[in-house]
Amino acid sequence: MRTSTKTYSGWGRVKRATGHVARPEKPDEIDITAPAIGNCRSYGDASLNTDGTAIDTTWMDRILHFDAKTGQVTVEAGMQIGALARIFAGRGWIPAVMPGTGFATIGGCIAHDVHGKNHHIHGSFGQHVVKLTLLQNGVRKTVSPKSNKELFAATVGGLGQTGVIVQAVLQLMPCAGDVMMVTEQRADGWDEFVALLDASVATYTVGWIDATATGDTLGRGILEEAELGRGIVPDSKQAKSVPFNAPNFALSAPIVKLFNAAYFRRVPERGRTSVKPIGDFFFPLDKIHDWNRLYGKRGFHQFQCVVPVERAPALREMLRMIAASGLASPLAVLKRMGAGSAGMMSFPMDGYTLAVDFPNKDGAEPLIRTLIDKTAEIGGRVYLAKDALATGDQIKPMYPNHAKWIKAVTKADPDGAMETDIIRRLNLRTPL
């Protein structure tokens, strides 16, 4: 199989790799043992293999079979989750769990056991994988929650360390239609925001939070609640691109603070309800191609953690630190999570998750490392799909099944051929 030398990066554009990349059109063309990558929508170094070889699966993007009675669909690993939603929503089916971008591949969704705006009800992506096919040293192996259970659990959320995911059978969820009925309401501070999250009975909930707010307004934001429905689909605005890297002042603290204040006030005090295309609700930033350029040449970091329900006040303290730093961007999200997860190294846990983007400027890395420390202190977790700064000593205790995962991965890949930059940075295949 041919390879070409390529320099590529995670979505945050802070971490980069140069190495050989192969791009097969079919799984049968894969004749090397190397880690797989997709659209590289993980933010840090999870999809990078510096000085090594990677298998780009994005051309392996076919729908192989669909059962209209059961809603089970068989797809290749390079299929994009957003494309799957567009194809099937009008036919009464939708992926049960979708992350914040439709450009994530199915293989990536499995490897990170992604979660969505309905995690508190429908759990993680891996819980809706009926079975998947791995390629290990040229040999195909089918695994599921019922057969090869240990290998399945090590693969889902396992950062691609058990083999190349080449296809999967997914259980789609019945849906009433292909539009979203969305209700937005303002929360004037942290306590009100958490109360709204806890009281919500909507299938989909997500909160935008003003990470620049201080004092009595600390933790203010907008809660969106949504349900799938049927109706006239409003026109979705044509996608736009960011043609160049934004200048450093574009996300300066005063500008971000002004933007956040205006964004908060765009929702009336009484709230409002609207109808949106499914893509506009699930993947709002996908309408801006290359939006990561808004952070400039140096890129950006995202910090995302989840903390237990009883430690929610700790997130308030994190927000206080973030607001005081003046480093936050307008992109900050607060969600309520349930207990659902499918893999040994899956991120989700019952609690609250906070995600904040930071331009890669002076002061950002020390702040994020402090936030990681605080997450560890209170029994929370950091999302490896977003991380670029944690250490192995911080991460390993966060994941109680880490030792079991090592055993399964060592059995599946004894020579370490599937190791990537994040695995090496965290020394993740070695016990604490």
Side-chain angles (χ1 to χ4, degrees), residues 46-304:
S47 61
L48 308 182
N49 192 24
T50 301
D51 296 329
T53 299
I55 298 170
D56 180 343
T57 63
T58 54
W59 281 1
M60 298 174 6
D61 60 353
R62 287 166 281 268
I63 296 173
L64 303 177
H65 179 71
F66 176 63
D67 188 327
K69 292 183 179 179
T70 65
Q72 290 188 3
V73 62
T74 304
V75 297
E76 291 182 326
M79 182 80 190
Q80 294 180 14
I81 188 74
L84 201 62
R86 288 192 297 272
I87 290 167
F88 286 103
R91 300 168 65 176
W93 299 95
I94 197 167
V97 173
M98 291 189 283
T101 174
F103 294 118
T105 62
I106 297 302
C109 288
I110 295 170
H112 292 289
D113 196 18
V114 299
H115 56 277
K117 299 174 177 68
N118 60 346
H119 184 269
H120 57 297
I121 294 177
H122 291 295
S124 68
F125 188 88
Q127 291 179 280
H128 305 275
V129 176
V130 178
K131 60 183 177 181
L132 57 86
T133 302
L134 284 171
L135 191 63
Q136 297 179 322
N137 294 313
V139 178
R140 289 196 183 203
K141 181 175 288 188
T142 300
V143 298
S144 75
K146 296 180 180 180
S147 64
N148 290 308
K149 292 188 290 186
E150 290 288 308
L151 184 55
F152 181 86
T155 300
V156 177
L159 302 170
Q161 295 303 290
T162 60
V164 176
I165 301 167
V166 293
Q167 69 182 53
V169 179
L170 310 177
Q171 179 62 62
L172 301 183
M173 184 175 67
C175 65
D178 54 0
V179 300
M180 303 299 297
M181 312 299 182
V182 183
T183 298
E184 298 171 284
Q185 53 185 324
R186 283 169 26 177
D188 292 324
W190 174 260
D191 290 339
E192 183 181 354
F193 208 143
V194 172
L196 288 174
L197 276 175
D198 289 345
S200 177
V201 295
T203 302
Y204 300 95
T205 62
V206 61
W208 170 83
I209 200 160
D210 181 357
T212 68
T214 58
D216 292 341
T217 63
L218 179 70
R220 73 176 180 181
I222 299 168
L223 181 69
E224 291 188 8
E225 299 174 284
E227 303 289 348
L228 282 154
R230 188 175 301 280
I232 299 174
V233 182
D235 291 333
S236 182
K237 293 180 180 179
Q238 187 175 1
K240 298 180 179 180
S241 296
V242 179
F244 51 82
N245 295 307
N248 292 334
F249 64 81
L251 287 174
S252 64
I255 290 176
V256 172
K257 194 171 184 67
L258 286 170
F259 175 89
N260 282 8
Y263 191 82
F264 177 75
R265 288 193 297 269
R266 73 183 177 82
V267 175
E269 288 187 26
R270 65 182 182 278
R272 67 182 182 187
T273 299
S274 59
V275 179
K276 296 183 178 182
I278 58 171
D280 287 11
F281 175 76
F282 287 110
F283 319 123
L285 287 174
D286 284 359
K287 294 185 295 183
I288 309 173
H289 295 315
D290 299 319
W291 61 261
N292 52 356
R293 291 180 177 174
L294 291 171
Y295 291 95
K297 290 182 179 180
R298 295 180 64 182
F300 73 103
H301 292 283
Q302 185 179 105
F303 166 75
Q304 183 170 5

Side-chain angles (χ1 to χ4, degrees), residues 35 48-49 53 160-161 413 415-421 423-424 429:
L48 308 182
N49 192 24
T53 299
Q161 295 303 290
D413 178 39
D415 298 327
M418 307 303 289
E419 288 190 4
T420 55
D421 285 7
I423 302 300
R424 290 185 283 268
R429 290 178 57 164

